[in-house]
Amino acid sequence: MSIRHLLPGRIGFGAAPLGNMFRSLTDEEARATLRAAWDHGIRYFDTAPVYGAGLAETRLGEFLSGFDRAEYVLSTKVGRLILDEFEEPSTRELGEKGNLFRYGLPHKIHNDYGADATLRSVEDSLRRLRTDRLDIVWVHSVAQDFYGDEWIGRFEQARTGAFRALTRLREEGVIGAWGLGVNRVEPLELTLDLDEPAPDAFLLAGRYTLLDHERALQRLLPAALRRGVDIVVGGPYSSGILVGGTHFEYGEAPAEVVTKVKRINALAREHGIGVKSAALQFVLAHPAVATVVPGASRPSRIAEDLAALDEPIPTAFWQTLRAEGIVSPEAPIPALAA
Protein backbone atom coordinates (compact mmCIF):
# COMPACT_ATOMS: atom_id res chain seq x y z
CA MET A 1 0.00 0.00 0.00
CA SER A 2 2.80 2.45 0.73
CA ILE A 3 4.77 4.21 -2.00
CA ARG A 4 7.54 5.46 0.24
CA HIS A 5 9.84 2.78 -1.14
CA LEU A 6 9.33 4.33 -4.60
CA LEU A 7 9.96 7.94 -3.63
CA PRO A 8 13.59 9.08 -3.59
CA GLY A 9 13.29 11.97 -1.15
CA ARG A 10 11.17 14.54 0.65
CA ILE A 11 10.67 16.72 -2.41
CA GLY A 12 9.81 16.17 -6.05
CA PHE A 13 9.29 18.31 -9.14
CA GLY A 14 5.76 19.31 -10.17
CA ALA A 15 5.74 19.77 -13.93
CA ALA A 16 2.52 21.78 -14.36
CA PRO A 17 4.45 25.02 -15.09
CA LEU A 18 6.17 23.23 -18.00
CA GLY A 19 2.76 23.13 -19.66
CA ASN A 20 2.77 26.94 -19.79
CA MET A 21 0.60 27.38 -16.73
CA PHE A 22 -0.14 31.09 -16.21
CA ARG A 23 2.59 32.13 -18.68
CA SER A 24 4.40 30.94 -21.79
CA LEU A 25 7.79 29.31 -21.19
CA THR A 26 10.33 28.77 -23.91
CA ASP A 27 11.74 25.29 -24.40
CA GLU A 28 15.07 26.68 -23.17
CA GLU A 29 13.52 27.92 -19.90
CA ALA A 30 11.86 24.56 -19.37
CA ARG A 31 15.09 22.65 -19.96
CA ALA A 32 17.08 24.96 -17.69
CA THR A 33 14.57 24.48 -14.86
CA LEU A 34 14.62 20.71 -15.25
CA ARG A 35 18.41 20.73 -15.40
CA ALA A 36 18.52 22.69 -12.13
CA ALA A 37 16.19 20.15 -10.51
CA TRP A 38 18.32 17.25 -11.69
CA ASP A 39 21.61 18.88 -10.72
CA HIS A 40 20.25 19.54 -7.23
CA GLY A 41 19.41 15.88 -6.78
CA ILE A 42 15.65 15.83 -7.38
CA ARG A 43 14.67 12.44 -8.81
CA TYR A 44 10.88 12.39 -8.59
CA PHE A 45 8.98 14.09 -11.41
CA ASP A 46 5.18 14.41 -11.59
CA THR A 47 3.30 15.50 -14.69
CA ALA A 48 -0.05 15.07 -16.50
CA PRO A 49 -1.44 15.05 -20.05
CA VAL A 50 -3.65 18.06 -19.33
CA TYR A 51 -0.65 20.26 -18.47
CA GLY A 52 -0.53 22.26 -21.67
CA ALA A 53 -2.35 19.51 -23.64
CA GLY A 54 0.70 17.26 -23.71
CA LEU A 55 3.33 20.00 -23.62
CA ALA A 56 4.63 19.29 -20.10
CA GLU A 57 4.90 15.56 -20.74
CA THR A 58 6.71 16.17 -24.02
CA ARG A 59 9.20 18.57 -22.46
CA LEU A 60 9.78 16.31 -19.48
CA GLY A 61 10.21 13.25 -21.68
CA GLU A 62 12.72 15.00 -23.90
CA PHE A 63 14.82 15.98 -20.89
CA LEU A 64 14.65 12.68 -19.02
CA SER A 65 15.43 10.65 -22.14
CA GLY A 66 19.07 11.63 -21.59
CA PHE A 67 19.27 9.70 -18.32
CA ASP A 68 19.11 6.08 -17.21
CA ARG A 69 15.46 5.20 -16.49
CA ALA A 70 16.47 3.53 -13.22
CA GLU A 71 17.75 6.87 -11.88
CA TYR A 72 14.39 8.62 -11.48
CA VAL A 73 10.77 8.11 -10.43
CA LEU A 74 8.01 9.24 -12.77
CA SER A 75 4.29 9.79 -12.28
CA THR A 76 1.61 11.02 -14.62
CA LYS A 77 -2.18 11.01 -14.72
CA VAL A 78 -5.20 9.57 -16.52
CA GLY A 79 -8.71 10.89 -17.14
CA ARG A 80 -7.95 13.36 -19.94
CA LEU A 81 -7.07 12.20 -23.44
CA ILE A 82 -5.13 14.54 -25.73
CA LEU A 83 -6.60 14.28 -29.23
CA ASP A 84 -5.20 15.06 -32.67
CA GLU A 85 -8.01 17.60 -33.17
CA PHE A 86 -7.45 21.24 -32.30
CA GLU A 87 -9.27 23.84 -30.24
CA GLU A 88 -8.64 27.33 -28.91
CA PRO A 89 -6.96 26.84 -25.49
CA SER A 90 -8.52 29.98 -24.01
CA THR A 91 -12.03 28.58 -24.55
CA ARG A 92 -11.21 25.16 -23.09
CA GLU A 93 -13.58 23.88 -20.40
CA LEU A 94 -11.61 23.08 -17.25
CA GLY A 95 -14.21 23.86 -14.62
CA GLU A 96 -13.05 26.49 -12.14
CA LYS A 97 -9.63 26.54 -13.82
CA GLY A 98 -10.67 27.29 -17.39
CA ASN A 99 -7.75 29.55 -18.36
CA LEU A 100 -5.05 27.71 -16.46
CA PHE A 101 -3.27 26.46 -19.59
CA ARG A 102 -4.36 29.01 -22.16
CA TYR A 103 -0.75 29.24 -23.36
CA GLY A 104 -0.49 25.49 -23.89
CA LEU A 105 -0.78 23.46 -27.07
CA PRO A 106 -4.06 23.68 -29.03
CA HIS A 107 -4.85 19.95 -28.96
CA LYS A 108 -8.39 19.10 -27.90
CA ILE A 109 -8.76 17.54 -24.46
CA HIS A 110 -11.37 14.80 -23.97
CA ASN A 111 -12.41 13.80 -20.45
CA ASP A 112 -12.83 10.04 -20.07
CA TYR A 113 -12.25 7.91 -16.95
CA GLY A 114 -13.28 4.60 -18.53
CA ALA A 115 -11.04 1.53 -18.66
CA ASP A 116 -10.27 1.73 -22.39
CA ALA A 117 -9.49 5.45 -22.19
CA THR A 118 -7.25 4.80 -19.18
CA LEU A 119 -5.20 2.25 -21.09
CA ARG A 120 -4.97 4.56 -24.10
CA SER A 121 -3.94 7.47 -21.87
CA VAL A 122 -1.15 5.39 -20.33
CA GLU A 123 0.11 4.43 -23.79
CA ASP A 124 -0.01 8.04 -24.99
CA SER A 125 1.87 9.23 -21.92
CA LEU A 126 4.55 6.58 -22.36
CA ARG A 127 5.07 7.85 -25.89
CA ARG A 128 5.25 11.53 -24.93
CA LEU A 129 7.48 10.76 -21.94
CA ARG A 130 9.78 8.55 -24.03
CA THR A 131 9.74 5.76 -21.49
CA ASP A 132 8.59 2.15 -21.25
CA ARG A 133 7.13 2.31 -17.75
CA LEU A 134 5.43 4.53 -15.20
CA ASP A 135 6.12 4.33 -11.49
CA ILE A 136 2.88 5.94 -10.32
CA VAL A 137 -0.36 6.80 -12.16
CA TRP A 138 -2.89 9.22 -10.66
CA VAL A 139 -6.58 9.43 -11.64
CA HIS A 140 -6.77 13.14 -12.31
CA SER A 141 -9.17 15.78 -10.98
CA VAL A 142 -12.29 13.65 -10.59
CA ALA A 143 -13.70 16.25 -8.21
CA GLN A 144 -16.03 19.22 -7.75
CA ASP A 145 -13.64 21.92 -8.94
CA PHE A 146 -13.66 20.50 -12.47
CA TYR A 147 -17.10 18.87 -12.74
CA GLY A 148 -19.35 20.67 -10.29
CA ASP A 149 -22.46 18.69 -9.38
CA GLU A 150 -21.55 16.07 -11.99
CA TRP A 151 -18.44 14.96 -10.14
CA ILE A 152 -20.08 11.93 -8.51
CA GLY A 153 -20.98 10.59 -11.96
CA ARG A 154 -17.40 11.09 -13.12
CA PHE A 155 -16.17 9.42 -9.96
CA GLU A 156 -18.39 6.39 -10.62
CA GLN A 157 -17.00 6.13 -14.15
CA ALA A 158 -13.50 6.21 -12.66
CA ARG A 159 -14.40 3.62 -10.01
CA THR A 160 -15.64 1.09 -12.55
CA GLY A 161 -13.11 2.07 -15.21
CA ALA A 162 -9.80 3.71 -14.31
CA PHE A 163 -9.55 2.27 -10.78
CA ARG A 164 -9.95 -1.31 -11.96
CA ALA A 165 -7.78 -0.88 -15.03
CA LEU A 166 -4.95 0.60 -12.97
CA THR A 167 -5.31 -2.14 -10.36
CA ARG A 168 -4.79 -4.73 -13.10
CA LEU A 169 -1.77 -2.84 -14.45
CA ARG A 170 -0.32 -2.73 -10.94
CA GLU A 171 -0.92 -6.45 -10.41
CA GLU A 172 0.72 -7.19 -13.77
CA GLY A 173 3.72 -5.07 -12.84
CA VAL A 174 3.13 -2.59 -15.67
CA ILE A 175 2.93 0.28 -13.18
CA GLY A 176 4.32 0.47 -9.67
CA ALA A 177 1.37 2.12 -7.93
CA TRP A 178 -1.78 4.15 -8.51
CA GLY A 179 -4.00 6.62 -6.73
CA LEU A 180 -6.04 9.79 -7.20
CA GLY A 181 -4.64 13.23 -7.94
CA VAL A 182 -7.16 15.90 -6.95
CA ASN A 183 -7.66 19.34 -5.43
CA ARG A 184 -10.48 18.31 -3.06
CA VAL A 185 -10.60 15.93 -0.10
CA GLU A 186 -14.08 14.46 -0.73
CA PRO A 187 -13.12 12.09 -3.58
CA LEU A 188 -10.28 10.74 -1.46
CA GLU A 189 -12.51 10.19 1.56
CA LEU A 190 -15.01 8.39 -0.68
CA THR A 191 -12.28 6.21 -2.19
CA LEU A 192 -11.09 5.08 1.23
CA ASP A 193 -14.61 3.83 1.98
CA LEU A 194 -14.88 1.62 -1.12
CA ASP A 195 -14.91 -2.18 -0.87
CA GLU A 196 -12.51 -2.47 -3.80
CA PRO A 197 -8.75 -2.88 -4.23
CA ALA A 198 -7.32 0.18 -2.54
CA PRO A 199 -5.05 2.79 -4.11
CA ASP A 200 -1.47 3.04 -2.91
CA ALA A 201 -1.44 6.79 -2.38
CA PHE A 202 -3.14 10.10 -3.06
CA LEU A 203 -1.80 13.28 -4.63
CA LEU A 204 -3.59 16.11 -2.86
CA ALA A 205 -3.00 19.60 -4.23
CA GLY A 206 -3.70 22.75 -2.25
CA ARG A 207 -5.68 21.15 0.57
CA TYR A 208 -2.87 20.67 3.05
CA THR A 209 -1.04 23.98 3.24
CA LEU A 210 -0.45 26.73 5.76
CA LEU A 211 -3.49 28.49 4.30
CA ASP A 212 -5.88 25.56 3.94
CA HIS A 213 -5.66 22.39 6.03
CA GLU A 214 -8.63 22.16 8.39
CA ARG A 215 -10.78 19.89 6.21
CA ALA A 216 -7.95 17.47 5.40
CA LEU A 217 -7.17 17.12 9.11
CA GLN A 218 -10.73 16.22 10.08
CA ARG A 219 -10.97 12.80 8.45
CA LEU A 220 -8.78 12.27 5.40
CA LEU A 221 -5.29 12.39 6.87
CA PRO A 222 -6.10 10.30 9.96
CA ALA A 223 -7.86 7.71 7.78
CA ALA A 224 -5.04 7.61 5.25
CA LEU A 225 -2.53 7.16 8.05
CA ARG A 226 -4.50 4.25 9.52
CA ARG A 227 -4.85 2.59 6.13
CA GLY A 228 -1.24 3.11 5.10
CA VAL A 229 -2.23 5.19 2.07
CA ASP A 230 0.51 7.77 1.58
CA ILE A 231 -0.18 11.41 0.76
CA VAL A 232 1.87 13.31 -1.79
CA VAL A 233 1.19 17.02 -1.35
CA GLY A 234 1.05 19.25 -4.40
CA GLY A 235 0.60 23.01 -4.45
CA PRO A 236 2.26 23.64 -1.07
CA TYR A 237 2.44 27.39 -1.84
CA SER A 238 -1.32 27.63 -2.51
CA SER A 239 -0.86 28.46 -6.21
CA GLY A 240 1.91 30.93 -5.36
CA ILE A 241 0.25 33.36 -2.96
CA LEU A 242 2.41 32.17 -0.06
CA VAL A 243 5.67 32.96 -1.84
CA GLY A 244 5.01 36.33 -3.43
CA GLY A 245 2.53 35.43 -6.16
CA THR A 246 -1.00 36.72 -6.63
CA HIS A 247 -2.81 33.44 -7.35
CA PHE A 248 -4.78 31.35 -4.88
CA GLU A 249 -6.70 28.30 -6.12
CA TYR A 250 -5.34 29.17 -9.58
CA GLY A 251 -7.16 32.53 -9.60
CA GLU A 252 -6.83 35.96 -8.02
CA ALA A 253 -6.59 35.66 -4.25
CA PRO A 254 -9.58 36.97 -2.23
CA ALA A 255 -9.02 39.72 0.32
CA GLU A 256 -9.19 37.45 3.39
CA VAL A 257 -6.47 35.21 1.97
CA VAL A 258 -4.26 38.21 1.19
CA THR A 259 -4.71 39.43 4.77
CA LYS A 260 -3.71 36.05 6.21
CA VAL A 261 -0.67 35.84 3.94
CA LYS A 262 0.45 39.31 5.03
CA ARG A 263 0.28 38.20 8.65
CA ILE A 264 2.27 35.02 7.94
CA ASN A 265 4.89 37.09 6.14
CA ALA A 266 5.09 39.54 9.01
CA LEU A 267 5.62 36.74 11.52
CA ALA A 268 8.23 35.13 9.29
CA ARG A 269 10.18 38.40 9.11
CA GLU A 270 9.87 38.82 12.87
CA HIS A 271 11.44 35.38 13.40
CA GLY A 272 13.99 35.76 10.62
CA ILE A 273 12.81 32.89 8.44
CA GLY A 274 11.45 32.40 4.94
CA VAL A 275 7.77 31.70 4.28
CA LYS A 276 8.78 29.05 1.76
CA SER A 277 10.55 27.21 4.58
CA ALA A 278 7.48 27.37 6.76
CA ALA A 279 5.20 26.21 3.94
CA LEU A 280 7.27 23.14 3.06
CA GLN A 281 8.17 22.11 6.59
CA PHE A 282 4.56 22.43 7.76
CA VAL A 283 3.40 20.03 5.05
CA LEU A 284 6.13 17.47 5.69
CA ALA A 285 5.56 17.43 9.45
CA HIS A 286 2.39 15.37 9.07
CA PRO A 287 3.19 11.64 9.31
CA ALA A 288 0.75 10.78 6.50
CA VAL A 289 2.70 12.94 4.03
CA ALA A 290 5.35 11.07 2.08
CA THR A 291 6.68 13.90 -0.06
CA VAL A 292 5.86 17.32 -1.47
CA VAL A 293 5.95 18.38 -5.13
CA PRO A 294 6.09 22.14 -5.66
CA GLY A 295 6.13 23.39 -9.22
CA ALA A 296 8.84 25.59 -10.68
CA SER A 297 9.33 27.51 -13.90
CA ARG A 298 12.68 29.16 -13.10
CA PRO A 299 15.97 27.41 -12.24
CA SER A 300 16.56 29.60 -9.19
CA ARG A 301 13.40 28.28 -7.53
CA ILE A 302 14.88 24.79 -7.19
CA ALA A 303 17.76 25.84 -4.93
CA GLU A 304 15.35 27.94 -2.88
CA ASP A 305 13.02 24.98 -2.35
CA LEU A 306 15.81 22.67 -1.26
CA ALA A 307 17.32 25.23 1.12
CA ALA A 308 13.88 25.80 2.61
CA LEU A 309 13.58 22.17 3.65
CA ASP A 310 16.29 22.51 6.26
CA GLU A 311 16.15 26.15 7.40
CA PRO A 312 15.89 26.21 11.21
CA ILE A 313 12.52 27.58 12.33
CA PRO A 314 12.02 28.70 15.93
CA THR A 315 9.35 26.87 17.89
CA ALA A 316 7.96 30.28 18.84
CA PHE A 317 7.00 30.93 15.21
CA TRP A 318 4.78 27.84 15.10
CA GLN A 319 3.35 28.55 18.52
CA THR A 320 2.32 32.03 17.39
CA LEU A 321 0.68 30.68 14.22
CA ARG A 322 -1.25 28.23 16.36
CA ALA A 323 -2.18 30.86 18.96
CA GLU A 324 -3.52 33.19 16.25
CA GLY A 325 -5.59 30.43 14.65
CA ILE A 326 -3.58 30.36 11.42
CA VAL A 327 -2.50 26.78 12.11
CA SER A 328 -4.97 24.26 13.48
CA PRO A 329 -4.27 22.81 16.94
CA GLU A 330 -4.71 19.38 15.28
CA ALA A 331 -1.88 19.96 12.79
CA PRO A 332 1.55 18.56 13.65
CA ILE A 333 4.04 21.40 14.02
CA PRO A 334 7.62 20.71 12.84
CA ALA A 335 9.41 21.95 15.94
CA LEU A 336 7.01 20.04 18.17
CA ALA A 337 6.32 17.03 15.94
CA ALA A 338 8.39 14.62 18.03
Side-chain angles (χ1 to χ4, degrees):
M1 294 284 288
S2 175
I3 63 167
R4 292 178 193 253
H5 66 286
L6 292 174
L7 298 170
R10 295 179 295 166
I11 190 167
F13 181 92
L18 302 187
N20 288 355
M21 183 172 71
F22 299 135
R23 71 182 185 94
S24 183
L25 269 69
T26 65
D27 289 340
E28 290 72 21
E29 287 178 296
R31 279 195 298 270
T33 303
L34 285 167
R35 169 56 69 179
W38 187 272
D39 289 348
H40 281 87
I42 290 177
R43 295 294 183 269
Y44 170 42
F45 299 86
D46 175 70
T47 186
V50 77
Y51 297 163
L55 180 58
E57 283 190 325
T58 299
R59 283 171 163 171
L60 183 58
E62 179 183 356
F63 176 79
L64 291 176
S65 66
F67 301 95
D68 186 330
R69 181 63 183 85
E71 291 188 50
Y72 60 88
V73 172
L74 184 61
S75 63
T76 192
K77 305 178 182 73
V78 297
R80 276 76 168 267
L81 290 169
I82 309 304
L83 308 181
D84 291 333
E85 305 168 45
F86 296 104
E87 64 182 356
E88 171 54 48
S90 64
T91 63
R92 188 173 286 147
E93 178 54 47
L94 288 176
E96 297 174 5
K97 303 168 180 65
N99 287 320
L100 194 57
F101 294 104
R102 60 182 174 181
Y103 301 110
L105 298 177
H107 292 281
K108 189 173 183 179
I109 298 172
H110 174 64
N111 300 327
D112 192 333
Y113 296 88
D116 289 344
T118 296
L119 297 177
R120 177 181 166 186
S121 183
V122 167
E123 288 296 322
D124 289 348
S125 289
L126 289 171
R127 174 178 48 80
R128 285 189 292 265
L129 289 164
R130 301 190 190 185
T131 186
D132 60 355
R133 63 183 174 86
L134 298 169
D135 298 292
I136 308 167
V137 177
W138 309 109
V139 181
H140 201 191
S141 296
V142 57
Q144 307 93 310
D145 53 330
F146 279 95
Y147 298 110
D149 293 339
E150 298 177 3
W151 82 270
I152 289 291
R154 292 287 185 174
F155 182 92
E156 182 62 13
Q157 184 189 35
R159 183 188 70 82
T160 58
F163 290 12
R164 295 174 182 177
L166 293 174
T167 297
R168 289 195 300 272
L169 292 179
R170 180 182 63 189
E171 291 171 348
E172 295 166 0
V174 178
I175 63 175
W178 74 272
L180 277 71
V182 296
N183 299 280
R184 294 290 186 270
V185 300
E186 291 86 354
L188 307 186
E189 293 172 344
L190 185 56
T191 301
L192 288 175
D193 290 336
L194 295 176
D195 292 325
E196 300 217 12
D200 302 279
F202 295 134
L203 171 56
L204 178 63
R207 297 284 74 77
Y208 194 68
T209 72
L210 274 178
L211 289 179
D212 188 346
H213 53 268
E214 291 279 2
R215 179 61 192 267
L217 284 167
Q218 289 172 12
R219 178 167 176 251
L220 174 62
L221 293 180
L225 195 58
R226 288 193 305 271
R227 298 279 292 273
V229 177
D230 293 322
I231 304 292
V232 174
V233 170
Y237 307 137
S238 295
S239 299
I241 187 69
L242 275 171
V243 289
T246 60
H247 292 98
F248 175 75
E249 278 296 283
Y250 308 101
E252 288 300 308
E256 62 270 22
V257 170
V258 173
T259 298
K260 184 182 287 189
V261 171
K262 286 181 178 177
R263 181 56 182 156
I264 293 172
N265 273 276
L267 290 171
R269 286 193 300 271
E270 181 180 325
H271 290 276
I273 64 161
V275 173
K276 181 171 283 192
S277 302
L280 292 181
Q281 292 184 37
F282 172 78
V283 167
L284 289 166
H286 199 289
V289 175
T291 193
V292 61
V293 283
S297 60
R298 293 182 174 88
S300 61
R301 299 289 189 259
I302 305 300
E304 292 173 4
D305 288 343
L306 290 171
L309 290 176
D310 297 312
E311 180 181 18
I313 299 180
T315 301
F317 171 76
W318 299 112
Q319 291 173 330
T320 303
L321 288 184
R322 182 171 279 177
E324 295 191 9
I326 296 172
V327 165
S328 167
E330 305 301 319
I333 289 176
L336 304 177

